[in-house]
Amino acid sequence: SMAGMTAAHAYQSEVGADYNYVDYDNGASGDQFGIDATYYFNPVTDSNVPLAEAGFMNRAGNAKLRASFADAGNTDVSDIGIGAEYYIPDTDFYVSGQVARVDVENDFIGDYDYTRYAAEVGYLPTANFLIAAGLVGSKFEGDDSTDPSIRAKYVTRVGQHDWNFEAGGVFGDQDRYNLAADYYVDSTFSVGAQYVNDDLTDRDDFGIRARKFINQQASIEGNLGFGDNANTFGLRGTYRF
């Protein structure tokens, strides 16, 4: 159509690939590559919403597969997981779950693996506002660790523009919390910032990010992170069909 970007479009799958580079203050560096695929149980329409938020704003249930491979000098990590999100029809309730297998190869302490998992129950008190609580855990050679989690996500229009706000925390053995906001210049382009603080990995960093849909199928995004003990640079591409 001549309208191009304004025409409504539906998609049912999205695939993505990403690359992250980590530059540690102590002189070391690391690389991470990831691939992922998401299948939506019903077609998702993207009319009149920011393209990046179409799945969320349509309450689109989905199943997801992700694999990532990291090389940080003395340590190689592979992380392969599956997950699902489901919005219970004719209600404002939401559930999610994920499980992953992590394999670590370390030059000094040898090889080991563990399972990580998460589950949530959520509620949408109003349109495009999700509050979810759950459990995040890991299982390592018979040793289980489970901590409570809570998060919120809200997409709203302020004046002429849409905003995305996110906040979350995991509390217990491994306190972690994050804050993020994205400003939609238009439905195809966002710029944002995030803050992450994680006791477990001694992470305390601030980042900026941007995502642009080149057309209704393809997007590219980038992020820069500035932390206490490392700086990061990331690139990601996605394609919908």
Side-chain angles (χ1 to χ4, degrees):
S1 85
M2 293 297 286
M5 296 302 290
T6 57
H9 180 262
Y11 62 95
Q12 199 155 0
S13 301
E14 182 169 287
V15 292
D18 53 80
Y19 168 74
N20 288 281
Y21 175 78
V22 185
D23 180 23
Y24 296 98
D25 291 351
N26 65 12
S29 65
D31 298 285
Q32 182 193 50
F33 298 91
I35 53 171
D36 59 88
T38 305
Y39 174 77
Y40 293 92
F41 306 135
N42 295 298
V44 179
T45 57
D46 60 17
S47 54
N48 301 320
V49 299
L51 298 185
E53 305 291 355
F56 174 70
M57 294 175 79
N58 276 271
R59 300 191 181 187
N62 62 80
K64 180 175 287 192
L65 172 67
R66 176 169 167 81
S68 69
F69 307 93
D71 175 2
N74 300 315
T75 308
D76 291 345
V77 181
S78 71
D79 186 324
I80 298 170
I82 55 171
E85 293 183 293
Y86 188 63
Y87 295 82
I88 299 167
D90 305 315
T91 76
D92 292 313
F93 287 96
Y94 160 96
V95 291
S96 77
Q98 54 177 284
V99 62
R101 154 90 178 232
V102 183
D103 282 286
V104 181
E105 295 178 23
N106 182 284
D107 291 349
F108 302 115
I109 61 170
D111 302 349
Y112 62 94
D113 61 76
Y114 63 94
T115 302
R116 59 178 183 82
Y117 53 88
E120 291 178 316
V121 176
Y123 182 70
L124 294 103
T126 184
N128 310 319
F129 182 30
L130 172 66
I131 302 168
L135 296 171
V136 175
S138 60
K139 190 177 181 69
F140 175 67
E141 292 178 355
D143 181 26
D144 279 340
S145 163
T146 307
D147 294 322
S149 69
I150 190 165
R151 72 181 174 100
K153 177 177 170 72
Y154 185 37
V155 178
T156 186
R157 183 159 279 244
V158 180
Q160 297 300 303
H161 295 273
D162 290 299
W163 287 78
N164 170 53
F165 299 102
E166 296 179 28
V170 177
F171 310 99
D173 296 341
Q174 42 171 2
D175 282 356
R176 174 193 160 95
Y177 58 91
N178 63 281
L179 297 166
D182 298 289
Y183 167 73
Y184 286 90
V185 178
D186 60 34
S187 66
T188 70
F189 180 45
S190 66
V191 290
Q194 62 182 348
Y195 173 73
V196 179
N197 186 294
D198 189 340
D199 287 348
L200 184 69
T201 55
D202 196 27
R203 186 176 163 196
D204 183 15
D205 60 38
F206 174 79
I208 55 174
R209 61 193 188 184
R211 183 175 183 184
K212 171 66 180 174
F213 278 81
I214 307 156
N215 55 39
Q216 297 205 244
Q217 281 78 40
S219 83
I220 52 171
E221 59 188 292
N223 64 75
L224 290 171
F226 308 96
D228 274 357
N229 45 27
N231 294 324
T232 59
F233 163 72
L235 286 174
R236 174 169 164 80
T238 68
Y239 186 79
R240 297 173 168 179
F241 55 94

